Amino acid sequence: MLVRYFAAAMHAAQVAEETISCGDVNSNSWAAGGVSLGALLDRILELHPPSDDPTRPSLAQVLDLSSFLVDEVSVRDRNTSLAESATVDILPPFAGG
């Protein structure tokens, strides 16, 4: 899956985008037809542990406030299955909202 980070999410993860294979996500978290959004987010947090840099936001906090697009469609349910070919956009609140 292609994961793209925007604004505070990009600052917290220190990367604009990355590819994460379904095989890299914990097999206990597989949903019917693919890996769940929640399992992907858990894996992202494993890949980007908290920083000692006080100017960098916590990725966990950013993810808690973010909305997500999967293949350009808004997704709120973290149990949503993702295909290996999916593009997941992580969108934190912009301009105060």
Side-chain angles (χ1 to χ4, degrees):
M1 286 165 274
L2 176 63
V3 179
R4 300 188 300 189
Y5 302 89
F6 294 86
M10 181 171 36
H11 184 60
Q14 295 289 286
V15 62
E17 64 181 42
E18 63 187 334
T19 300
I20 300 175
S21 170
C22 283
D24 291 339
V25 178
N26 185 338
S27 61
N28 293 331
S29 302
W30 283 84
V35 69
S36 70
L37 174 61
L40 173 65
L41 298 177
D42 289 344
R43 179 64 180 140
I44 287 169
L45 290 175
E46 291 171 1
L47 292 171
H48 303 282
S51 169
D52 291 332
D53 180 351
T55 66
R56 203 164 120 196
S58 159
L59 185 55
Q61 291 174 329
V62 172
L63 292 179
D64 284 345
L65 299 172
S66 293
S67 58
F68 307 96
L69 298 179
V70 176
D71 295 328
E72 300 182 13
V73 175
S74 179
V75 172
R76 294 178 189 256
D77 183 357
R78 292 187 179 208
N79 292 317
T80 299
S81 294
L82 306 174
E84 181 79 34
S85 61
T87 297
V88 178
D89 295 329
I90 299 176
L91 307 169
F94 292 91

